[in-house]
């Protein structure tokens, strides 16, 4: 774990653990125990990754020469159609989008090892090991399937590539009062030296991934990108950004439900905390969604229009193929017949297996009203002509 960018958040978070252990409520002590367990697992994973990353310089030093040209970033608040758009774009053979295990183990040496083990598991005793792993995955992740499916071998956000520096709101799950630390997780708000350190590590991670996919364009989606778009643009001046706008009244409660389900997926189902919707953590996530809308609008007005396109969620759902076609046209990307056929097949599949908001929280449950949201996001409503 790189010390300088993560140090402030880690030190303040560890002080929280000590304070909660001494004077906290039973609920806070439970969150502390779970957070420390997740933090322990993170340190272990990063330690393993460090060994693998060091080996990369011996087994594949040429990864350092890989150019990350004009990457494409899908940026939007959660529950705005990012997964659908990301999946469609990733079906294009010219794109490379990471799967979960590739962001968990961002090392060429470790990925080769993991894939060799996976191949052996499929062959050993008729694939019983692979079947056992799939059953374990189902038990660990199935709870999130109605709102967002997570599996190690499937496409996923590249959030884990920022874990090393704790530069993501998802890092707040490691601490019992994470809502008090949120201002430390937006990379664009950090000192220049911290931003450079984080983006250097991220750049190296992308080089490793693209070393496995020569000639392809890196594609990522991340619902926490709003707080680091400036850093991404600074590091990759030719980056392209795809923004999706959906009605905030719908997004905010649905996003909070997503976070309530996904925040503690790293723990076995029986060990996850039961945090009521009134808990400050969930109001903090609602505030983060509001801030995401504000940040994205500011960046849309600043980044050249040739590198930024804003889509409507309603258009994406009603006409996925036509909307994706607009992305290719606007960003000047060629779209092959092979890509179009693959995207069409995925569109038909997505129509049958669309995620659901289920029992999303209400704005009122989060201490918000429609009038409050409108006043906070008046500029966003007016810019995109959203109904009040």
């Amino acid at each position: 774990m790189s010390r300088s960018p993560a140090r402030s958040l880690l030190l303040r978070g560890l002080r929280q653990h000590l304070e909660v252990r001494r004077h906290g409520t039973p609920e806070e002590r439970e969150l502390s125990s779970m957070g420390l367990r997740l933090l322990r697992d993170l340190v272990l994973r990063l330690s393993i990754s460090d060994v693998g990353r060091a080996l990369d310089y011996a087994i594949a030093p040429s990864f350092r020469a890989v150019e990350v040209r004009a990457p494409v970033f899908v940026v939007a608040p959660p529950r705005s159609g990012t997964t659908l758009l990301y999946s469609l774009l990733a079906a294009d053979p010219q794109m490379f989008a990471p799967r979960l295990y590739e962001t968990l183990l961002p090392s060429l040496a470790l990925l080769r090892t993991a894939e060799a083990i996976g191949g052996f598991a499929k062959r050993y005793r008729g694939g019983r090991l692979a079947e056992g792993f799939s059953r374990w995955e189902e038990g660990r992740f199935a709870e999130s399937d109605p709102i967002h499916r997570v599996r190690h071998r499937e496409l996923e956000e590249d959030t884990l590539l920022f874990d090393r520096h704790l530069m993501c709101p998802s890092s707040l799950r490691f601490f019992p009062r994470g809502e008090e630390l949120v201002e430390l997780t937006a990379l664009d708000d950090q000192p220049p030296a911290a931003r450079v350190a984080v983006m250097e590590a991220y750049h190296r991670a992308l080089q490793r991934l693209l070393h496995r996919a020569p000639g392809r364009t890196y594609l990522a989606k991340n619902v926490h990108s709003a707080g680091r778009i400036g850093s991404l643009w600074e590091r990759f001046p030719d980056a392209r950004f795809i923004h999706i706008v959906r009605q905030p009244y719908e997004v905010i409660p649905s996003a909070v439900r997503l976070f309530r389900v996904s925040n503690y997926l790293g723990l076995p189902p029986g060990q996850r905390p039961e945090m009521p919707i009134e808990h400050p953590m969930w109001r903090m996530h609602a505030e983060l969604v509001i801030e995401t809308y504000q940040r994205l609008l500011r960046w849309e007005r600043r980044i050249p229009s040739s590198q930024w396109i804003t889509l409507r969620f309603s258009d994406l759902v009603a006409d996925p193929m036509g909307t994706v076609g607009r992305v290719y046209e606007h960003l000047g990307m060629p779209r092959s017949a092979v890509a179009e056929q693959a995207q069409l097949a995925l569109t038909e599949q997505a129509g049958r297996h669309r995620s659901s908001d289920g029992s999303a929280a209400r704005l009122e449950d989060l201490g918000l009203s429609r009038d409050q949201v409108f006043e906070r996001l008046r500029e966003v409503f007016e810019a995109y002509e959203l109904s009040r």
Side-chain angles (χ1 to χ4, degrees):
M1 187 179 298
S2 179
R3 291 187 60 187
S4 56
R7 184 164 50 192
S8 295
L9 178 60
L10 187 60
L11 288 178
R12 286 180 56 181
L14 291 177
R15 288 193 198 103
Q16 284 187 357
H17 282 294
L18 290 173
E19 173 67 21
V20 163
R21 293 290 177 172
R22 293 170 179 164
H23 308 294
T25 64
E27 178 192 58
E28 288 179 323
R29 287 196 289 271
E30 180 187 14
L31 288 178
S32 175
S33 296
M34 294 179 181
L36 287 171
R37 199 172 308 146
L38 290 171
L39 195 58
R40 176 204 62 194
D41 294 345
L42 173 66
V43 171
L44 176 61
R45 176 166 59 82
L46 293 182
S47 299
I48 295 171
S49 294
D50 283 345
V51 174
R53 295 190 321 150
L55 289 173
D56 290 346
Y57 289 94
I59 68 170
S62 59
F63 82 85
R64 291 174 292 180
V66 173
E67 294 186 40
V68 183
R69 297 179 179 173
V72 177
F73 298 104
V74 178
V75 297
R79 309 299 295 155
S80 297
T82 56
T83 298
L84 173 58
L85 180 62
Y86 183 51
S87 300
L88 291 173
L89 293 173
D92 186 337
Q94 74 173 312
M95 298 289 187
F96 173 82
R99 290 162 287 184
L100 177 58
Y101 82 92
E102 291 173 307
T103 63
L104 273 169
L105 303 170
S107 154
L108 295 169
L110 293 178
L111 289 174
R112 290 180 188 180
T113 302
E115 288 165 354
I117 293 172
F120 172 77
K122 289 179 180 178
R123 297 189 301 270
Y124 183 71
R125 293 192 175 183
R128 291 182 184 177
L129 283 178
E131 291 173 1
F133 180 76
S134 295
R135 287 195 296 272
W136 175 85
E137 274 194 309
E138 290 297 315
R140 178 60 65 95
F141 298 134
E143 181 184 349
S144 72
D145 283 359
I147 191 166
H148 180 72
R149 179 179 168 88
V150 176
R151 298 294 186 277
H152 287 91
R153 290 160 288 189
E154 296 180 12
L155 293 175
E156 192 49 80
E157 300 189 7
D158 65 1
T159 298
L160 295 177
L161 297 181
F162 292 92
D163 268 2
R164 176 171 300 274
H165 303 285
L166 304 181
M167 279 293 127
C168 187
S170 60
S171 302
L172 300 176
R173 70 189 186 280
F174 299 130
F175 309 109
R177 297 169 181 165
E179 66 276 2
E180 298 176 2
L181 307 173
V182 65
E183 77 278 2
L184 299 176
T185 62
L187 181 58
D188 286 347
D189 298 341
Q190 306 310 311
R195 294 174 59 181
V196 170
V198 173
M199 291 312 301
E200 176 67 22
Y202 183 65
H203 192 178
R204 287 296 192 201
L206 300 200
Q207 287 179 306
R208 285 175 165 89
L209 292 174
L210 291 177
H211 187 272
R212 294 158 47 87
R216 293 163 71 181
T217 297
Y218 185 74
L219 168 68
K221 76 109 169 174
N222 197 311
V223 297
H224 295 304
S225 289
R228 53 175 170 263
I229 286 181
S231 302
L232 291 170
W233 190 31
E234 185 177 78
R235 188 73 186 194
F236 308 110
D238 57 353
R240 281 83 56 90
F241 298 90
I242 308 171
H243 176 210
I244 309 172
V245 175
R246 185 183 180 188
Q247 170 61 255
Y249 301 144
E250 299 170 359
V251 167
I252 294 171
S254 183
V256 170
R257 179 177 181 241
L258 170 64
F259 293 131
R260 293 185 74 192
V261 171
S262 65
N263 251 26
Y264 296 95
L265 279 182
L267 295 171
Q271 298 178 24
R272 295 168 190 165
E274 294 290 337
M275 298 167 65
I277 190 62
E278 298 82 12
H279 193 280
M281 175 71 80
W282 309 131
R283 173 58 186 261
M284 177 271 292
H285 278 294
E287 293 291 334
L288 277 173
V289 175
I290 291 172
E291 183 180 301
T292 293
Y293 275 101
Q294 295 167 333
R295 286 183 184 266
L296 289 173
L297 178 58
R298 290 198 296 268
W299 282 113
E300 178 177 352
R301 290 170 170 173
R302 183 173 175 184
I303 292 176
S305 59
S306 60
Q307 294 175 248
W308 184 289
I309 181 173
T310 294
L311 308 173
R312 300 297 180 123
F313 173 79
S314 55
D315 293 340
L316 177 62
V317 172
D319 182 16
M321 289 298 290
T323 304
V324 170
R326 285 178 49 212
V327 171
Y328 279 86
E329 181 180 358
H330 183 88
L331 298 180
M333 302 188 305
R335 187 187 193 188
S336 67
V338 172
E340 195 164 353
Q341 282 298 113
Q343 290 163 349
L344 181 59
L346 272 177
T347 298
E348 295 170 352
Q349 181 181 349
R352 296 191 298 271
H353 303 286
R354 192 163 290 159
S355 66
S356 169
D357 285 347
S359 55
R362 300 173 303 162
L363 287 172
E364 293 77 9
D365 297 330
L366 299 165
L368 293 168
S369 67
R370 289 170 70 99
D371 286 343
Q372 287 175 313
V373 171
F374 177 78
E375 289 303 323
R376 298 275 300 281
L377 294 177
R378 177 184 293 272
E379 195 172 6
V380 171
F381 274 82
E382 292 174 353
Y384 300 118
E385 299 180 342
L386 301 173
S387 60
R388 179 170 181 178

